Amino acid sequence: MIEATGLTKRYGATVAVDNLSFEVKPGRVTGFLGPNGAGKSTTMRMILGLDTPTSGQVTIDGQRYRDLHQPLTKVGALLDAKWVHPNRSARAHLAWMAASNKLPKDSVDKALEMVGLTAVANKRAGAFSLGMSQRLGIAGALLGDPEVLLFDEPVNGLDPEGIVWIRTFMHRLADEGRTVLVSSHLLSEMALTAEDLVVIGRGKLIAQSTTQEFVDRASGTTVKVRTPQLDQLAGVLHQQQLVTRIEDVENEGKVLFVEGDLTTDQIGETAAAHGIVLHELTLQRGSLEQAFMQMTGDSVEYHAHDEIAAVTQLDAPSGAEVAAGPKEDN
Amino acid sequence: MSVITVERIKLFSTRSPWWCMIVAAVLTVGFAALTTGFLKGADEQQATIFITQPGAQLSQMVMMVMAALAVTTEYRFGTIRTSFQAVPQRAALLLGKTAVVAFLSGVIGLIASFGAWGVGSLFASNADLSINTGAEWRLLAGQGLVFAISAVIAVAVGILIRQSAGAIAILILWPLLVENLVNLIPKVGDDLARWAPFANGSSFLNQGQDFGLAGAGAGGSDFALSPWWALLYFAGWAAALMAIALFSASKRDA
Ligand SMILES: Nc1ncnc2c1ncn2[C@@H]1O[C@H](COP(=O)(O)OP(=O)(O)OP(=O)(O)O)[C@@H](O)[C@H]1O
Ligand SMILES: [Mg+2]
């Protein structure tokens, strides 16, 4: 388990990570999502003790990385596939890593085998393609058979085959009970890879939830309702603080659209309670990327109002209330 | 000591350290051949051990470049981060690197000095080049110590500067230029020069040598300390720089 509390990193005037708190649980793939420059890599460097936080701390099973004994057996990481000496062979690269943590002799061959680099193990790493470098990086991460794994944008620049390979790999690692944290700036990618999400924008936490919850909320669902008692239903829903909009849809006449994150159940029950007849009740979902942009864009907007808390707190019991918050301000 | 193994694997798994070591050894031996190979008659008989060693300082430079590169290439290629990730006790890891690099430099220093002496003995076979005074032993065997200590300084500078060109420029300009130019400063210049670190490294080697053909002042004459104190002083500089470098590496972001 990785636990960050109040993690903050400043580089001169730039606040790369801003009072970030989150948890990454074992046995699941957790996506670390944020647009470019959000502070994902900086956070990962702090997890690994490479950069020192300006304030706050991050621990792995309660221990700071720098206090770990033979850390490769506990935490494996691939932050940048290019962090290899180009004139060193893949085998030599893994060999010094193995020696540093007194790993068994066969660990290098096993890791090479696992990522399918055995055939090119003695070639210089500088001649590797991006996909091969990425595999070498993953071999390095897996070398010590660690419980915790960090991958920074591992699918960047990979072809579809490579992407599927990595995705499958992550799931296998999580299924084995490991803690897996994978960063990405693509929600669509994370929706396929991760079960949990930690979402950041401009160094601040935007959301921590399951991917499903986030996608449901992020994609700004709209419920489409057709009913002969349009005005009556709209009135009742207004009383429930819901935003509605009536539109003329071709061939369907007047249709009621209810905005915000809510379930069709809620509307159906409300209608029944007031004896309103429904002809159609459909959940409509926006595009993921668009929604993600909107959410991370929001985070910027909300900095100004200092109302980030309203957006960030996702442990609130019902998603509906939380999402209603930012919408009202729009 | 796993950090020693780590740094040994790192150093020997790329080619450039090998080249530096070969060049360093060949330079000193080659210069010895040049300075002794063309001596005739009376000149040849006057040859001393000292004149077999003119290439040593150049070889020492080459080894310092290798030592600095052993650190700066790690920063350049980002492997320093992988290294600190594998061994978060940064000072321990960097000391391991220092030990490996300094040991190798020392060995090359010995190969260079004794190799040069051997070649000199071969070419100037009519001269008495046998090693029989303490000073002569100090000149040849001491080269190993001076090479090792200067490698420590080079690693420290590499850690502090992190960048190849800058580190190498400092390491070459400092002993060759800065330590000689301070002489020109009025009043304090002479003292500064006598107390400069690399000057004391040379002073350790050169005191009490028979400069022979090279002329009386060839190895310097204005020494601040006796040979072994001079060496200790030189080593003190290396230790101080290394301490600062290790402190800095532990504090700064990798
Ligand atoms: N060493 C550094 N010195 C100065 N600024 C830095 C440093 N590292 C990161 N930053 C700044 O901190 C911010 C966060 O950068 P970071 O690389 O962590 O973002 P990221 O989420 O990984 O982005 P990307 O998706 O592009 O990889 C950026 O504004 C970046 O310019
Ligand atoms: Mg990044």
Side-chain angles (χ1 to χ4, degrees), chain A residues 21-312:
Chain A
S21 302
F22 62 85
E23 271 176 22
V24 184
K25 296 191 196 76
R28 314 169 67 90
V29 177
T30 301
F32 192 27
L33 189 62
N36 291 124
K40 305 181 292 294
S41 302
T42 305
T43 305
M44 288 198 161
R45 285 200 303 275
M46 287 194 284
I47 297 176
L48 296 175
L50 295 173
D51 284 20
T52 315
T54 309
S55 62
Q57 63 164 1
V58 57
T59 56
I60 293 139
D61 288 344
Q63 274 187 300
R64 286 182 320 160
Y65 190 90
R66 281 212 191 189
D67 298 332
L68 292 177
H69 181 61
Q70 307 200 329
L72 297 186
T73 60
K74 180 92 185 171
V75 184
L78 166 57
L79 292 204
D80 190 330
K82 286 191 294 291
W83 290 351
V84 179
H85 194 300
N87 293 333
R88 196 173 278 143
S89 71
R91 172 168 280 122
H93 176 71
L94 296 176
W96 75 252
M97 288 179 77
S100 69
N101 280 239
K102 298 200 172 74
L103 303 178
K105 281 218 162 52
D106 61 348
S107 59
V108 170
D109 286 321
K110 271 193 194 157
L112 284 165
E113 181 77 47
M114 213 173 326
V115 299
L117 284 182
T118 310
V120 291
N122 295 320
K123 292 231 162 68
R124 42 184 292 270
F128 281 11
S129 71
L130 184 59
M132 287 158 84
S133 304
Q134 214 79 342
R135 281 166 192 256
L136 177 56
I138 291 179
L142 296 174
L143 201 58
D145 194 20
E147 296 150 45
V148 178
L149 286 146
L150 308 181
F151 298 100
D152 195 4
E153 314 234 7
V155 301
N156 242 10
L158 290 192
D159 58 15
E161 194 192 342
I163 293 176
V164 171
W165 180 78
I166 289 204
R167 211 183 277 154
T168 320
F169 212 90
M170 308 272 146
H171 282 296
R172 215 177 80 200
L173 294 169
D175 290 344
E176 289 166 1
R178 303 177 209 254
T179 309
V180 184
L181 182 66
V182 194
S183 84
S184 173
H185 55 264
L186 297 175
L187 177 57
S188 50
E189 171 58 32
M190 284 296 98
L192 292 170
T193 312
E195 289 138 286
D196 284 339
L197 283 183
V198 173
V199 187
I200 62 171
R202 297 239 174 144
K204 296 198 186 212
L205 186 72
I206 292 177
Q208 163 148 36
S209 67
T210 64
T211 308
Q212 193 53 51
E213 270 171 32
F214 183 79
V215 165
D216 285 349
R217 197 149 22 74
S219 47
T221 47
T222 310
V223 177
K224 178 184 170 193
V225 192
R226 283 196 302 123
T227 164
Q229 292 146 283
L230 204 78
D231 293 331
Q232 194 187 342
L233 180 61
V236 173
L237 292 176
H238 271 287
Q239 281 166 15
Q240 297 185 2
Q241 309 294 325
L242 290 169
V243 182
T244 58
R245 140 175 78 84
I246 296 169
E247 271 179 36
D248 257 322
V249 178
E250 227 174 301
N251 301 330
E252 296 183 32
K254 288 200 168 180
V255 174
L256 181 73
F257 289 97
V258 189
E259 304 272 354
D261 185 32
L262 71 172
T263 57
T264 47
D265 307 15
Q266 191 187 343
I267 298 174
E269 279 161 22
T270 308
H274 292 80
I276 296 169
V277 176
L278 298 184
H279 289 168
E280 183 183 344
L281 183 62
T282 333
L283 193 69
Q284 294 184 326
R285 198 159 276 168
S287 112
L288 274 184
E289 294 309 333
Q290 205 182 352
F292 173 50
M293 257 153 55
Q294 193 190 328
M295 285 212 73
T296 48
D298 274 355
S299 82
V300 178
E301 194 184 311
Y302 281 94
H303 286 184
H305 305 294
D306 206 19
E307 284 178 17
I308 187 79
V311 204
T312 54

